Amino acid sequence: MKDRKPDEPISTGPTSTSRRRVLIGLGAAGGALTGSLMTGTPASAQTENVTNAPISDKTQERQPFYGLRQSGIVTSRPANGMVASFDVLAKTPADLVRMFQTLTERIAFLTQGGEPPALDPKLPPADNGILGPVVIPDNLTITVSVGASLFDDRFGLKRLKPARLVRMTSFPNDALDASLCHGDLSLQISSNTADTNIHALRDIVKKLPDLLLLRWKQEGSVPALPVKAGVPPESARNFLGFRDGSANPSPQDSGLMERIVWVQKDSDEPGWATNGSYQAVRIIRNFVERWDRTPLQEQQNIIGRHKATGAPMQGGTEHDVPDYAGDPEGKVTPLDAHIRMANPRTHGSEANLILRRPFNYSNGVTKSGQLDQGLLFIAYQSDLEKGFITVQKRLAGEPLEEYIKPIGGGFFFTLPGVANERDFLGRTLLEAAGSAQPGN
């Protein structure tokens, strides 16, 4: 057999000759068809430019902005999310009122969409233009929360700090990067596309340059699934390949949401905080190279679920409840499995339920040549101590710690909603402080 030189074309055999004659016979007029035959590309696609924008029928999806509670908490999670944390630059209580009023105006516009005003071309344009001349709503929500540091001596808010709002402390497995932690104010921005989130963030940064300074941000996404008729919705998978959020409380259960997510009027929280919620944010790096080299059975024992289906270890479906009572020695689901330690389903552990709304993140490559990937963990609860903090303490020492490392995040309090056009974010707080006149 004759050896082929490295740069010599590979012979296609006897059939190639006749095929070549056919193609030559088509002549110049058949050029487009020839290309189609050679590449397998549909002929209709030849009229399109590869740089044409992808088409979506979801750009006009719109979430309500006005209401007792902010959108973006019990709202169904779209494909893309971001948390951006800011330092507040306002110097006086009056500046703080202006900051919240301006923020309210921008979020009301961005989430509902519309046409920005035309300005003198000698001035910077009113909008950054990322989404075109008309801003699409694209299922956008922007959820505003405040950190413990806002309740210092600057604005006279100290006595009004939510009872359980604290600066995020370091847990045993944490390796927190100070540049990725805390903040006076957080925005959870989520929508159908990453560009809509970026558009919103840049709009807010531009409109409040003397009042807010971006401290850190983390973007993320979750994979979309095909529609499956007659099949219950499935949880999205995280970058460990497991379904994430299988045991999440249902946001459709309004009674449960009142109990575990929303601060109630008759609680021991300040009156202004009614209809707010505690937000816990964690940037959790996954050591995916190490995880991908771990045997499947070991992965499943660490998580406590079947990887393919998301079902508990005793079998069934993703949403079946694990039977820990019938497995006291952990022979089916190990006692140190992640889901068992996070929610042991014992008497009283229902008080520690939280509503999770996470996204996967991928930040490129580390200096040591590893993939910088992980989870942008976001959770809401009416009691931060009973919720996230208790769950995180339970997870100390779990086998999963070998594969994950929390590096950033913060604790925040999500403000009550905006009742109507005359209301603004933070009004109840600022009225209680005497910084704003009672209104709505």
Side-chain angles (χ1 to χ4, degrees):
M1 182 177 177
K2 179 184 176 184
D3 292 332
R4 182 176 61 85
K5 296 179 181 178
D7 57 349
E8 183 179 354
I10 298 175
S11 170
T12 56
T15 57
S16 64
T17 303
S18 58
R19 180 172 180 271
R20 192 179 305 119
R21 286 173 181 159
V22 170
L23 298 178
I24 292 173
L26 291 172
L33 179 57
T34 303
S36 176
L37 287 171
M38 294 182 70
T39 61
T41 304
S44 59
Q46 300 304 307
T47 60
E48 298 181 358
N49 192 318
V50 295
T51 55
N52 285 356
I55 302 299
S56 170
D57 60 357
K58 300 182 183 300
T59 61
Q60 293 304 313
E61 288 185 341
R62 188 177 283 106
Q63 296 295 331
F65 174 68
Y66 296 109
L68 284 178
R69 283 90 180 241
Q70 292 193 66
S71 294
I73 297 178
V74 296
T75 311
S76 296
R77 179 181 56 179
N80 294 272
M82 171 199 299
V83 172
S85 175
F86 296 83
D87 292 327
V88 170
L89 302 178
K91 302 291 187 187
T92 66
D95 282 348
L96 195 63
V97 172
R98 179 165 62 88
M99 182 199 79
F100 279 119
Q101 289 178 332
T102 305
L103 199 54
T104 302
E105 292 170 4
R106 295 318 303 162
I107 296 174
F109 171 75
L110 293 165
T111 57
Q112 303 308 297
E115 188 170 353
L119 302 181
D120 187 332
K122 295 177 182 177
L123 299 173
D127 186 77
N128 55 56
I130 294 175
L131 303 181
V134 177
V135 175
I136 54 174
D138 204 23
N139 206 16
L140 174 70
T141 60
I142 303 176
T143 310
V144 181
S145 309
V146 293
S149 56
L150 189 71
F151 296 86
D152 57 14
D153 296 326
R154 286 174 292 174
F155 310 109
L157 302 178
K158 185 175 288 187
R159 64 184 173 84
L160 297 169
K161 186 165 73 69
R164 293 157 186 83
L165 183 60
V166 295
R167 180 182 172 91
M168 184 180 71
T169 55
S170 180
F171 294 89
N173 189 45
D174 290 1
L176 300 179
D177 179 342
S179 66
L180 296 175
C181 294
H182 316 306
D184 293 330
L185 181 142
S186 79
L187 300 180
Q188 181 204 244
I189 306 174
S190 51
S191 72
N192 292 332
T193 62
D195 290 74
T196 297
N197 294 344
I198 290 291
H199 171 268
L201 176 66
R202 281 179 50 177
D203 182 279
I204 289 168
V205 167
K206 178 188 175 186
K207 297 297 193 301
L208 293 98
D210 61 327
L211 298 172
L212 287 176
L213 177 66
L214 188 59
R215 183 183 178 95
W216 57 266
K217 77 171 176 68
Q218 180 61 62
E219 298 176 56
S221 63
V222 287
L225 297 176
V227 176
K228 299 178 182 177
V231 176
E234 301 171 354
S235 302
R237 293 184 187 272
N238 57 28
F239 277 164
L240 299 180
F242 281 78
R243 293 181 181 171
D244 195 337
S246 303
N248 220 20
S250 171
Q252 282 75 48
D253 188 339
S254 58
L256 185 60
M257 294 298 101
E258 293 291 337
R259 181 169 66 81
I260 70 169
V261 173
W262 304 114
V263 169
Q264 301 295 307
K265 189 175 183 179
D266 58 357
S267 71
D268 60 353
E269 295 286 354
W272 71 265
T274 301
N275 295 315
S277 185
Y278 285 94
Q279 179 193 58
V281 179
R282 303 272 282 172
I283 303 172
I284 305 172
R285 189 176 163 207
N286 296 169
F287 301 125
V288 293
E289 291 91 345
R290 183 183 302 169
W291 182 256
D292 289 344
R293 296 185 180 101
T294 300
L296 174 61
Q297 187 59 54
E298 185 175 345
Q299 290 185 6
Q300 295 182 150
N301 286 338
I302 289 172
I303 299 298
R305 290 188 180 276
H306 290 280
K307 191 168 188 177
T309 64
M313 297 301 279
Q314 82 253 15
T317 70
E318 174 190 358
H319 299 292
D320 286 338
V321 177
D323 179 18
Y324 300 148
D327 179 32
E329 298 179 357
K331 293 181 178 178
V332 178
T333 305
L335 299 177
D336 57 2
H338 177 77
I339 67 166
R340 191 164 187 167
M341 294 180 72
N343 183 1
R345 300 180 185 273
T346 54
H347 178 69
S349 62
E350 67 275 7
N352 312 123
L353 292 176
I354 57 179
L355 182 69
R356 303 178 54 184
R357 206 169 187 271
F359 295 90
N360 302 324
Y361 77 79
S362 182
N363 289 344
V365 183
T366 67
K367 291 180 180 178
S368 59
Q370 295 179 310
L371 292 168
D372 186 357
Q373 299 182 339
L375 187 72
L376 174 58
F377 175 94
I378 307 168
Y380 294 91
Q381 56 259 280
S382 59
D383 187 321
L384 183 63
E385 178 61 41
K386 287 184 179 177
F388 174 78
I389 292 176
T390 296
V391 173
Q392 189 59 42
K393 287 178 178 176
R394 264 194 215 127
L395 291 170
E398 64 168 331
L400 184 60
E401 286 185 346
E402 183 181 346
Y403 302 91
I404 63 173
K405 184 64 68 178
I407 57 173
F411 296 158
F412 302 90
F413 186 82
T414 302
L415 298 170
V418 179
N420 51 47
E421 291 83 351
R422 299 184 302 280
D423 197 5
F424 63 92
L425 289 158
R427 176 188 56 80
T428 56
L429 168 62
L430 298 175
E431 281 185 359
S435 303
Q437 295 298 316
N440 300 276

